[in-house]
Amino acid sequence: MGLIRAGLVVLLGAIGLGVYWSYDGYDPESIRGATVVITGCSSGIGEEMAYQYARLGAKILITARRENRLKEVVAKAKSLGAQEAHYVAGDMGKTEDCERTIQTAKEKFGRLDYLVLNHAGSSFGPISERVTKLQTWDEDLDMDFYVDFINVNMISYVRLASLALPLLKESSGHITVMGSLGGKMLFPYFTYMSTAKFGLDGFFGSLRVEMMKTNQNVTVTYAVIGFVATEGSVKMVKKLPDGEKMLDSAAPVNETAQAIIRGGATRAREIYVPSYTWLMSKVRQLPDWLEDYIVLNL
């Protein structure tokens, strides 16, 4: 009986999401000519978003640390239909590179419609290693790395949004934040990621309601992202016990990018990819003992 009820909940959730996506008022033409800054575009979801925005006829400015990859992505974006495509090579963990990014957007476009925060810096490798080793916080108390990780994956998001707010206010613009299921529920071995993603959800959720309270038409979408089949994520999961079995649950990169762009264009409060993240994100609303049972037995 319990499994039947759980199945019904999942089914109803999927139907609800299907209905939402069918009637969210999304108009791809609304993105044509829009100015977009996307961080973290040398690979994965960020690279794919650059291509998706290009196909929709947007004007894009992308960032990453690897200039050679940025040149390749910009060239492809132009070939796919981007009205303009520019890049800033830099480390978003550095204040001056954040400032340079927004200043470049102002100089190139004169306005900003979408700020898409997606970067992760050079921290993905060490974090992946901790997860695949099932390494707990107390087994590696590297506070210097922790401070750097939070700076790149949370503080720099806040800094970029703060720098961009004047432009976004002028254009009634939108901020899309690359969050995670790890910012909605707790997982063992994810202490670093949980700090950053819960922090992003808290800050940008508060910013969203502040904009509403003060009648400023700048909106925010928090993307609750689960397992997506990026090259880095697939490599990490394959190293986990029974990791191969998890691959079937991964969302395709192109569909993930489309969902994020669509959520931003319709000014959705949150979007969930894959769809199971919607249900899992509600775990913290359960009684404490049940939440702990679920988390410890995933």
Side-chain angles (χ1 to χ4, degrees):
M1 183 62 73
L3 288 175
I4 293 175
R5 288 176 178 171
L8 286 172
V9 170
V10 173
L11 178 60
L12 289 172
I15 292 172
L17 285 172
V19 171
Y20 169 75
W21 285 121
S22 299
Y23 298 98
D24 62 356
Y26 175 55
D27 178 12
E29 281 299 310
S30 68
I31 297 175
R32 186 170 302 279
T35 55
V36 187
V37 169
I38 318 165
T39 63
C41 291
S42 61
S43 63
I45 299 171
E47 180 182 1
E48 182 61 26
M49 283 194 289
Y51 300 149
Q52 297 284 351
Y53 273 116
R55 290 188 180 96
L56 293 168
K59 302 175 183 179
I60 65 172
L61 171 67
I62 63 174
T63 78
R65 289 172 295 117
R66 294 181 288 166
E67 186 170 15
N68 60 324
R69 282 294 297 132
L70 287 172
K71 289 179 179 178
E72 293 170 354
V73 175
V74 161
K76 184 173 179 179
K78 288 179 178 178
S79 73
L80 291 172
Q83 291 189 17
E84 294 182 32
H86 311 279
Y87 72 84
V88 171
D91 179 354
M92 295 302 105
K94 297 178 180 179
T95 301
E96 58 270 27
D97 286 352
C98 291
E99 293 172 344
R100 187 159 53 90
T101 296
I102 302 305
Q103 182 61 33
T104 301
K106 185 176 181 179
E107 293 171 357
K108 295 293 185 181
F109 304 140
R111 59 179 286 131
L112 181 59
D113 297 306
Y114 294 96
L115 174 64
V116 184
L117 300 170
N118 169 73
H119 59 278
S122 59
S123 55
F124 188 84
I127 291 298
S128 298
E129 185 176 350
R130 290 179 64 94
V131 173
T132 55
K133 290 181 178 179
L134 305 182
Q135 193 172 49
T136 59
W137 170 258
D138 60 299
E139 292 179 297
D140 183 16
L141 299 174
D142 188 344
M143 290 303 300
D144 290 336
F145 177 75
Y146 181 75
V147 170
D148 181 65
F149 181 87
I150 299 305
N151 178 53
V152 173
N153 292 278
M154 185 177 73
I155 302 300
S156 67
Y157 278 51
V158 174
R159 179 175 288 116
L160 283 161
S162 302
L163 291 166
L165 268 177
L167 287 173
L168 293 168
K169 288 179 181 180
E170 290 177 2
S171 64
S172 296
H174 185 79
I175 303 170
T176 299
V177 182
M178 183 62 70
S180 166
L181 184 57
K184 291 293 186 180
M185 65 181 294
L186 305 173
F187 294 96
Y189 319 117
F190 272 76
T191 46
Y192 287 85
M193 191 65 71
S194 291
T195 305
K197 297 305 183 181
F198 270 93
L200 289 176
D201 191 21
F203 175 83
F204 283 99
S206 294
L207 178 64
R208 181 183 62 81
V209 295
E210 284 180 359
M211 294 294 101
M212 295 171 64
K213 183 74 172 178
T214 55
N215 296 314
Q216 300 184 76
N217 195 26
V218 176
T219 50
V220 179
T221 294
Y222 184 84
V224 183
I225 304 300
F227 181 25
V228 177
T230 62
E231 182 179 353
S233 294
V234 169
K235 285 182 179 179
M236 179 186 74
V237 167
K238 283 182 176 180
K239 296 177 182 179
L240 295 171
D242 297 322
E244 292 286 347
K245 296 179 181 179
M246 296 175 61
L247 297 179
D248 291 338
S249 67
V253 175
N254 65 325
E255 292 181 10
T256 301
Q258 290 170 4
I260 294 168
I261 292 171
R262 182 172 185 151
T266 58
R267 298 178 180 249
R269 175 175 174 172
E270 293 181 340
I271 63 112
Y272 300 86
V273 184
S275 58
Y276 66 74
T277 56
W278 177 84
L279 184 63
M280 294 183 70
S281 70
K282 310 305 177 187
V283 166
R284 300 210 79 197
Q285 298 176 19
L286 298 173
D288 293 348
W289 65 269
L290 183 55
E291 177 193 356
D292 286 347
Y293 177 83
I294 292 172
V295 169
L296 293 173
N297 288 277
L298 285 174

